[in-house]
Amino acid sequence: MNLAFEAEGLVKRFGKTTALAGIDLAAGQGTVLGVLGPNGAGKTTAVRILATLLRPDAGRAAVRGVDVVKDAGRVRRMIGLTGQYASVDEDLTGMENLVLIGMLLDLCRVDAKARAAELLKEFGLAEAGSRPAKTYSGGMRRRLDLAASLVGRPDVIYLDEPTTGLDPAKRDDVWNIIRSLVTDGVTVLLTTQYLEEADALADDISVIDHGKVIAHGSPAELKQVVGGQTILVRPTDPARLADATAILAAVSGREPESPARGVIAVPVDDDTAFTTVVGRLDREGIGVTELSLRLPSLDEVFFTLTGRHTVEETAA
Amino acid sequence: MTLTVTRPTTTVPENPRPFGFVRHSLALARRSLIKTLRTPEQLLDVTLQPVIFVVVYVFLLGGAISGSTHDYLQLLLPAIMVQTVMFGGMATGVNLNTDIGKGVFDRFRSLPIARSAPLVGSVLGDLIRYVVAIVSLLGFGYAIGFRIQTDPLSALAACLLTILFAFSVSWAFVFIGMLMRQPGGVQGVAFLVLFPLTFGTSMVAPKESMPGWLQAWVNVNPVSHVMDAARGLMLGGPVAGPVGWTLLWSAAFIVVFAPLAVRAYRLRV
């Protein structure tokens, strides 16, 4: 498989802080690489190096075989970047923002306008295109930002936490946009703090911590490592908590935890565990107000991989 | 597997088109211009402030300094035009300092354009501020009795020369803007530079009335030449010398500060 981008042994220090301690990332053409990690793990630094904004202190990175340091100009013609915060100009209209990018990418004015109109329509911003971006809602801004990184039809796009701060409906919009990009053959590097997001979009996931890759694999592989999924139960009658706990323990073969008052949760490996639990609860007549099967959270992934919680991470 | 790719109508050229630097800088200048026009309150410093300066000097101090407010106005206005436009250039540094922290500059950095293009664009776009300042100042001056004593072409030359000089000096403010962490810091340092440069001249009072050390500074201060040139071109008097010095100093400011500013911008993460 041809690699769309690759990074080998990237090291970056800021003063005494080591942001990247030798990181390897790679994605095949037309795939999505999810980079999963807590705040401060080095996700943004890695993206900034791959996007030619920063030079690594050691290691190398290339986009379609072109070195990001030696031949930054050529790399910049192949990439699109969307940062954590919307990188659009608030005083400019949606249209003006996109036309400016087009002009900077050497399109002639007519083409730049045509491309901008096309993207605004695609991203549901045709109406809003003539208004300054500062009048846009958070979701609209994020869409404009995504559109801006697509003006040049890049081969590779970097999305640095593209859904942070968006409500679930807006987040789904962004997810659909990312899916359609991949259909068009674009390679995506997606950084996120949510395993759910990486699971929904990525072909491969690299989990990073302290500037190092601590796990890499497909979402399925990764979920296997961290104990598949978690069943969560909240009995209607708190008095039945002990009975419910016994059922979960029996089905999973693990000791359930209580993440919140009146709630019990346990990781399960077996795909049929959930239906078994439902059947047993029903037979014993235990009513539930909450019953769910969910993916482990980033914190749980982290705890399994490192024995530490991400919260301690940020406090340190 | 065969992959069919429909080639879209608008594609980014594989190789850079020629004169990219000029086109990119102009596109970015347009951005800066649109921003200024859309937030006209940003132009207060170049519209209202010079008018207030003129009122204070002419009506408050003019009589005492030169015996007649009308005579004083003639001498003051060309000089205060230089000061106003230079103060206007400070805004370029302050605005860039704010601008650069925003995500949009990350995007500029990820685009195949010269590193200096966003800076050149801002400096060029801000030329509008100088034009607004001069129009506002000359309009007000005319209303209270200022008259050009040469010809319109010479007066226009005075304006253009002033703009050129301010454009050159604004690279120093851009440099300061790239070095400082906060916009307030930029303003502070810029004022420290601007005060001796603009007030250490014969702008508000004749040089002969000053102590020797100050006269020495006035003599070497580049802004003195610009003010002399503006006065010469608008009121009559020696022109060649001051104009020559102004052009020389303008070139010097650009040659020294433009590369420094671009370097500081590149180093800034």
Side-chain angles (χ1 to χ4, degrees), chain A:
Chain A
M1 182 163 53
N2 285 329
L3 289 180
F5 64 83
E6 57 193 312
E8 274 175 22
L10 288 186
V11 175
K12 184 72 191 176
R13 294 180 206 91
F14 297 107
K16 282 182 183 163
T17 326
T18 302
L20 297 180
I23 209 169
D24 300 324
L25 298 170
Q29 268 172 37
T31 67
V32 179
L33 175 71
V35 175
L36 183 67
N39 272 328
K43 300 189 298 287
T44 299
T45 307
V47 167
R48 290 173 72 92
I49 289 175
L50 279 163
T52 76
L53 303 191
L54 279 180
R55 284 158 172 260
D57 294 327
R60 55 171 284 276
V63 176
R64 299 190 72 172
V66 181
D67 192 279
V68 298
V69 175
K70 288 182 208 126
D71 217 345
R74 262 178 73 205
V75 170
R76 290 185 190 126
R77 305 189 88 79
M78 301 189 284
I79 59 168
L81 170 70
T82 293
Q84 270 179 46
Y85 33 77
S87 25
V88 294
D89 197 316
E90 306 225 307
D91 293 321
L92 265 54
T93 66
M95 184 75 175
E96 286 163 348
N97 263 296
L98 298 185
V99 170
L100 173 64
I101 307 289
M103 300 286 289
L104 296 180
L105 284 166
D106 285 348
L107 293 176
C108 69
R109 180 160 285 279
V110 178
D111 282 355
K113 277 191 173 155
R115 179 70 179 140
E118 189 178 281
L119 281 167
L120 287 171
K121 202 173 150 212
E122 231 171 276
F123 284 79
L125 294 167
E127 296 283 310
S130 53
R131 279 195 282 129
K134 63 178 152 212
T135 65
Y136 287 17
S137 68
M140 288 164 80
R141 261 181 232 209
R142 206 61 68 96
R143 291 206 300 269
L144 180 62
D145 198 13
L146 276 166
S149 58
L150 295 176
V151 172
R153 301 178 197 278
D155 297 310
V156 174
I157 91 164
Y158 305 120
L159 303 174
D160 194 9
E161 299 194 18
T163 60
T164 299
L166 293 186
D167 63 46
K170 306 275 167 49
R171 191 200 59 186
D172 286 351
D173 283 351
V174 173
W175 283 12
N176 286 331
I177 292 168
I178 296 172
R179 289 197 184 102
S180 68
L181 284 175
V182 182
T183 319
D184 293 344
V186 176
T187 308
V188 177
L189 187 156
L190 167 83
T191 78
T192 179
Q193 297 195 43
Y194 311 106
L195 179 59
E196 193 196 355
E197 182 159 284
D199 183 43
L201 299 168
D203 298 293
D204 279 301
I205 300 176
S206 292
V207 184
I208 69 172
D209 177 37
H210 283 320
K212 275 197 175 128
V213 175
I214 54 169
H216 176 83
S218 67
E221 287 164 347
L222 202 66
K223 278 185 278 179
Q224 228 158 23
V225 174
V226 298
Q229 297 178 310
T230 296
I231 296 179
L232 187 135
V233 180
R234 184 196 292 273
T236 317
D237 180 2
R240 306 292 310 265
L241 203 59
D243 298 332
T245 306
I247 294 173
L248 283 192
V251 173
S252 68
R254 293 187 176 92
E255 193 57 42
E257 284 188 359
S258 180
R261 215 179 143 79
V263 181
I264 46 168
V266 75
V268 292
D269 308 313
D270 190 352
D271 288 348
T272 61
F274 189 71
T275 43
T276 313
V277 167
V278 172
R280 294 248 197 126
L281 288 171
D282 183 43
R283 242 174 294 147
E284 300 204 14
I286 303 174
V288 292
T289 47
E290 202 178 332
L291 176 63
S292 63
L293 180 66
R294 62 168 175 80
L295 288 173
S297 66
L298 175 64
D299 190 60
E300 284 160 329
V301 172
F302 245 73
F303 189 72
T304 317
L305 291 171
T306 67
R308 289 178 293 115
H309 286 284
T310 52
V311 195
E312 290 161 357
E313 207 57 23
T314 42

Side-chain angles (χ1 to χ4, degrees), chain B residues 2 9 15-16 28 102 118 139 149 178 193 203 247:
Chain B
T2 333
T9 45
N15 292 303
L28 288 159
K102 293 183 186 154
Q149 283 150 38
M178 293 302 109
V193 176
M203 178 174 76
L247 293 175

Side-chain angles (χ1 to χ4, degrees), chain B residues 92-116:
Chain B
T92 309
V94 175
N95 291 344
L96 262 173
N97 181 278
T98 326
D99 222 15
I100 200 171
K102 293 183 186 154
V104 69
F105 262 76
D106 270 357
R107 190 181 299 291
F108 293 155
R109 283 195 174 101
S110 75
L111 290 169
I113 57 174
R115 277 301 192 244
S116 53

Side-chain angles (χ1 to χ4, degrees), chain B:
Chain B
M1 190 180 80
T2 333
L3 195 68
T4 359
V5 179
T6 32
R7 239 23 236 179
T9 45
T10 55
T11 26
V12 174
E14 289 281 324
N15 292 303
R17 270 167 58 200
F19 307 112
F21 179 69
V22 176
R23 273 182 297 108
H24 300 154
S25 298
L26 287 177
L28 288 159
R30 193 166 171 276
R31 158 184 181 261
S32 157
L33 191 65
I34 293 172
K35 284 168 79 77
T36 308
L37 295 179
R38 220 156 268 169
T39 40
E41 62 270 23
Q42 276 195 14
L43 289 171
L44 273 184
D45 64 327
V46 286
T47 47
L48 221 55
Q49 200 174 295
V51 168
I52 292 168
F53 265 117
V54 170
V55 168
V56 168
Y57 286 126
V58 171
F59 298 112
L60 217 61
L61 309 169
I65 296 171
S66 99
S68 136
T69 54
H70 182 264
D71 291 350
Y72 185 65
L73 174 66
Q74 311 305 317
L75 216 57
L76 178 80
L77 205 99
I80 215 158
M81 173 173 87
V82 174
Q83 188 203 32
T84 304
V85 175
M86 284 178 70
F87 270 76
M90 180 174 69
T92 309
V94 175
N95 291 344
L96 262 173
N97 181 278
T98 326
D99 222 15
I100 200 171
K102 293 183 186 154
V104 69
F105 262 76
D106 270 357
R107 190 181 299 291
F108 293 155
R109 283 195 174 101
S110 75
L111 290 169
I113 57 174
R115 277 301 192 244
S116 53
L119 300 190
V120 175
S122 287
V123 172
L124 285 178
D126 275 358
L127 287 178
I128 183 73
R129 306 173 59 81
Y130 308 154
V131 176
V132 169
I134 289 179
V135 168
S136 146
L137 190 70
L138 287 183
F140 179 69
Y142 200 83
I144 60 170
F146 173 76
R147 292 296 177 267
I148 290 162
Q149 283 150 38
T150 52
D151 54 286
L153 268 183
S154 302
L156 183 68
C159 298
L160 292 177
L161 192 71
T162 305
I163 290 176
L164 171 74
F165 182 72
F167 168 81
S168 322
V169 173
S170 71
W171 280 104
F173 298 130
V174 173
F175 178 50
I176 297 169
M178 293 302 109
L179 290 181
M180 307 300 287
R181 289 273 142 225
Q182 299 287 328
V186 182
Q187 203 144 14
V189 176
F191 269 120
L192 279 181
V193 176
L194 273 173
F195 271 89
L197 277 177
T198 57
F199 285 97
T201 58
S202 60
M203 178 174 76
V204 291
K207 190 174 75 179
E208 293 69 32
S209 67
M210 300 171 192
W213 59 269
L214 191 53
Q215 289 198 27
W217 164 244
V218 172
N219 285 335
V220 296
N221 183 353
V223 181
S224 297
H225 300 300
V226 192
M227 289 180 175
D228 287 346
R231 279 175 175 156
L233 285 164
M234 287 181 141
L235 309 172
V239 166
V243 169
W245 277 112
T246 303
L247 293 175
L248 216 62
W249 273 110
S250 302
F253 270 104
I254 294 183
V255 168
V256 172
F257 287 106
L260 280 176
V262 173
R263 203 182 109 86
Y265 169 65
R266 294 174 76 116
L267 290 176
R268 205 174 156 124
V269 179

